[in-house]
Amino acid sequence: MPENYGRGRSRGEDSGMGTQLTCFAVGATLGAVVALLLAPKSGRELREDLADATRKGVDRARETGSQLSTRAGEYYETATSRAGELAATAREAASRRGERFSSALEAGRQAYQEEKRRTESSALTEDQPRALEGGNV
């Protein structure tokens, strides 16, 4: 039996080795076909594609930057005009309050002067009878 066992084993090894080589050859062939079908472009084509993609990215970035710059300018103009409107409103309100204050101040001055005249004239009228009384006595 040991002899048969050895012979069968060598035959099995030979047939197994052939099967392995056949499978290896078939796998290598399939791999080569798949690699050729899915192979990347040539170096020149790949560089051109990369350059195109880079140009498109730069153009998109410039366009986005331009749009953002335009929007920023619009926001600035809007903010500037709004600030101008608010400043004008504040000036008008201050002017109105100033006018009211001036009017109140002027009215106070006039009231003071009128009261001063009344007081002086009443003092004169009160002093005149006393003077007359003093001269008669």
Side-chain angles (χ1 to χ4, degrees):
M1 262 187 142
E3 289 179 18
N4 287 341
Y5 182 79
R7 281 186 199 168
R9 187 172 180 203
S10 67
R11 280 186 199 167
E13 282 181 15
D14 288 342
S15 82
M17 187 66 109
T19 304
Q20 287 178 353
L21 284 174
T22 303
C23 288
F24 176 79
V26 169
T29 305
L30 284 174
V33 169
V34 168
L36 288 174
L37 290 174
L38 301 177
K41 299 177 181 180
S42 69
R44 178 182 291 163
E45 290 174 346
L46 185 60
R47 284 189 299 271
E48 288 174 359
D49 287 349
L50 287 174
D52 287 342
T54 303
R55 271 188 239 111
K56 287 178 184 175
V58 168
D59 289 344
R60 229 179 283 133
R62 283 184 183 153
E63 183 178 320
T64 302
S66 174
Q67 290 173 352
L68 291 176
S69 176
T70 302
R71 284 184 189 166
E74 290 171 359
Y75 290 144
Y76 176 78
E77 289 174 12
T78 302
T80 302
S81 67
R82 183 71 179 141
E85 291 171 5
L86 289 173
T89 303
R91 273 188 235 114
E92 289 174 15
S95 175
R96 276 187 256 130
R97 286 190 181 140
E99 288 172 3
R100 288 181 195 158
F101 181 74
S102 296
S103 298
L105 188 61
E106 186 61 34
R109 247 187 233 140
Q110 287 176 359
Y112 172 76
Q113 289 174 356
E114 287 174 15
E115 188 61 32
K116 186 177 174 184
R117 282 186 205 133
R118 251 188 266 152
T119 306
E120 288 174 352
S121 68
S122 67
L124 287 176
T125 1
E126 286 178 9
D127 286 340
Q128 285 177 0
R130 287 185 189 163
L132 292 176
E133 287 176 13
N136 292 337
V137 181

